[in-house]
């Protein structure tokens, strides 16, 4: 991993911590979670990874690419999401990088397919390791406790001022959970504004707090997670659905040298701009990968 990830001031009072190139193979917020998840999979002797996501899932692609570096094959179960150029681009790379892909109609079908894939692998003598949607288990969340502690170090060294709040996209919740846990552990409980871009059953405050607590317990840490505010105003018609505000936000990001994708980061950055006040600096967490993936990047037994 390329750590620490850089921090810079986009314009007065608006800072970014950029995860885009945290790994040479694939960037974004999934990488820190996968560092812990893949170590756990290896410790358990796994041969294959089984996970789920939407058709354009960054998590599924990151799992397949980084899992391959550990000799692990990835089996993905994919649920629909609105069709965009970005989603098609991601899907082509997922198909190339995964050992198998099962497309289902929704979350119920996904639960059944995940069980079936795991059973099929076990029956053929393989050892499957299940990774939850978004890599957001207490093990994965530890990666973002590391990320938050890294940020505390950068603030302590004066690389950026202590922000008045941190703004991040909220999907499966692991990134926000690790942030509120790690900031408390680092003695800097800065409030986190988590911008909900996924349905409420997946992305809600209770889930984030439960994940943060579970990850802290794994570390044997007896601190209370820092403050969390969930902004529900950016989901629009649903996960991955476009929003008339996004084009302007993407342009604003581009002018500031911040590339944004429509599903997560454009919505979170929109909330970041809307929430900016004169009370103090705001930090935006750039969670999308800035690494361009070729479809030729395959897993050990990749299809495609
Ligand atoms: C680019 C991007 N940003 C943010 C998130 C949200 O992170 P989390 O699922 O940990 O809430 C995701 C999750 O898929 C993502 O792909």
């Amino acid at each position: 991993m390329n750590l620490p990830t850089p921090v810079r001031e986009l314009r007065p009072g608006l800072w970014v911590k950029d995860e885009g190139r945290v790994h040479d193979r694939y960037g974004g917020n999934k990488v820190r979670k996968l560092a812990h998840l893949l170590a756990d999979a290896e410790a358990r002797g796994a041969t294959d990874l089984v996970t789920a996501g939407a058709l354009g899932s960054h998590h599924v692609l990151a799992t397949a690419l980084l899992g391959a570096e550990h000799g692990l094959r990835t089996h993905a179960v994919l649920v629909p999401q609105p069709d965009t150029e970005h989603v098609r681009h991601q899907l082509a790379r997922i198909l190339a990088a995964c050992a198998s892909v099962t497309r289902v109609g929704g979350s119920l079908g996904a639960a059944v397919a995940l069980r079936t894939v795991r059973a099929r692998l076990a029956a053929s003598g393989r050892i499957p390791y299940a990774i939850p949607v978004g890599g957001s288990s207490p093990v994965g969340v530890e990666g973002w406790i590391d990320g938050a502690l890294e940020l505390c170090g950068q603030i302590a060294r004066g690389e950026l001022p202590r922000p008045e709040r941190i703004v991040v996209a909220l999907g499966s919740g692991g990134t926000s959970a690790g942030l509120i846990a790690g900031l408390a552990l680092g003695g800097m409980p800065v409030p986190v504004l988590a911008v909900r871009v996924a349905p409420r059953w997946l992305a809600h405050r209770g889930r984030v707090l439960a994940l943060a607590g579970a990850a802290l317990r794994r570390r044997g840490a007896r601190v209370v997670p820092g403050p969390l505010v969930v902004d529900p105003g950016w989901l629009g018609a649903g996960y991955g659905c476009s929003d008339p505000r996004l084009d302007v936000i993407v342009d604003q990001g581009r002018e500031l040298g911040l590339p944004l994708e429509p599903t997560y980061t454009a919505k979170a950055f929109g909330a970041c701009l809307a929430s900016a006040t004169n009370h103090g600096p705001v930090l935006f967490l750039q969670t999308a990968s800035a690494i361009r993936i070729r479809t030729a990047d395959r897993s050990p037994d990749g299809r495609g």
Side-chain angles (χ1 to χ4, degrees), residues 29-30 33 58 136 169-175 261 264-265 287-288:
N29 64 326
K30 305 303 173 194
K33 297 181 191 178
H58 300 121
S136 290
L170 171 60
S172 59
T175 309
E261 50 68 54
Y264 294 91
T265 47
T287 50

Side-chain angles (χ1 to χ4, degrees), residues 26-30 33 56-60 86 90 133-136 141 144 168-177 195 197-198 202-203 207-208 211 239 261 263-265 268 285-289:
Y26 197 72
N29 64 326
K30 305 303 173 194
K33 297 181 191 178
S57 169
H58 300 121
H59 159 69
V60 170
H86 177 71
Q90 288 288 108
V133 170
S136 290
V141 167
W144 271 101
V168 64
L170 171 60
S172 59
T175 309
S176 303
V195 182
V197 302
L202 178 67
R207 177 183 163 89
V208 175
L211 278 169
Y239 176 78
E261 50 68 54
T263 308
Y264 294 91
T265 47
L285 188 65
Q286 161 64 313
T287 50
S289 175

Side-chain angles (χ1 to χ4, degrees), residues 8-16 161 256 273 276-278 280-282:
R8 69 192 151 93
E9 192 171 25
L10 290 173
R11 70 176 192 209
L14 178 54
W15 288 76
V16 62
L256 294 168
L273 294 176
T277 63
N278 292 329
V282 173

Side-chain angles (χ1 to χ4, degrees), residues 2-280:
N2 303 316
L3 299 178
T5 55
V7 288
R8 69 192 151 93
E9 192 171 25
L10 290 173
R11 70 176 192 209
L14 178 54
W15 288 76
V16 62
K17 181 165 173 66
D18 193 347
E19 298 293 305
R21 297 183 184 279
V22 64
H23 192 283
D24 294 335
R25 204 77 200 287
Y26 197 72
N29 64 326
K30 305 303 173 194
V31 172
R32 292 182 193 263
K33 297 181 191 178
L34 283 165
H36 285 265
L37 290 162
L38 296 176
D40 192 42
E42 279 192 321
R44 292 165 189 270
T47 57
D48 296 68
L49 306 170
V50 182
T51 196
L55 288 176
S57 169
H58 300 121
H59 159 69
V60 170
L61 182 53
T63 301
L65 293 172
L66 303 192
E69 295 202 326
H70 295 248
L72 296 165
R73 305 188 312 168
T74 294
H75 304 265
V77 172
L78 302 181
V79 298
Q81 80 176 95
D83 181 43
T84 65
E85 198 186 321
H86 177 71
V87 169
R88 283 195 295 277
H89 175 91
Q90 288 288 108
L91 178 59
R93 281 138 191 87
I94 288 171
L95 290 171
C98 286
S100 80
V101 170
T102 309
R103 289 172 70 154
V104 295
S107 47
L108 211 60
V112 175
L114 285 168
R115 264 203 306 278
T116 308
V117 172
R118 283 207 305 272
R120 177 168 49 77
L121 287 167
S124 64
R126 314 279 306 173
I127 304 172
Y129 181 87
I131 297 183
V133 170
S136 290
S137 66
V139 175
V141 167
E142 285 208 56
W144 271 101
I145 292 185
D146 298 342
L149 291 172
E150 178 183 293
L151 175 62
C152 291
Q154 289 170 311
I155 295 168
R157 290 193 298 278
E159 292 173 28
L160 76 161
R162 178 171 168 153
E164 179 251 328
R165 82 185 63 161
I166 299 171
V167 183
V168 64
L170 171 60
S172 59
T175 309
S176 303
L179 282 174
I180 58 172
L183 289 164
L185 202 55
M188 294 191 189
V190 174
V192 169
L193 178 67
V195 182
R196 184 148 68 79
V197 302
R200 203 175 176 285
W201 66 263
L202 178 67
H204 61 90
R205 193 181 149 74
R207 177 183 163 89
V208 175
L209 294 175
L211 278 169
L216 284 168
R217 281 194 295 281
R218 273 182 62 82
R219 291 217 172 182
R222 299 175 71 85
V223 295
V224 176
L228 171 76
V229 177
V230 174
D231 180 347
W234 290 84
L235 179 61
Y239 176 78
C241 289
S242 67
D243 181 311
R245 297 170 288 185
L246 294 186
D247 286 346
V248 178
I249 293 162
V250 169
D251 286 347
Q252 278 177 288
R254 195 178 299 119
E255 279 164 25
L256 294 168
L258 185 70
L260 298 167
E261 50 68 54
T263 308
Y264 294 91
T265 47
K267 290 180 176 179
F269 194 61
C272 185
L273 294 176
S275 78
T277 63
N278 292 329
H279 295 307

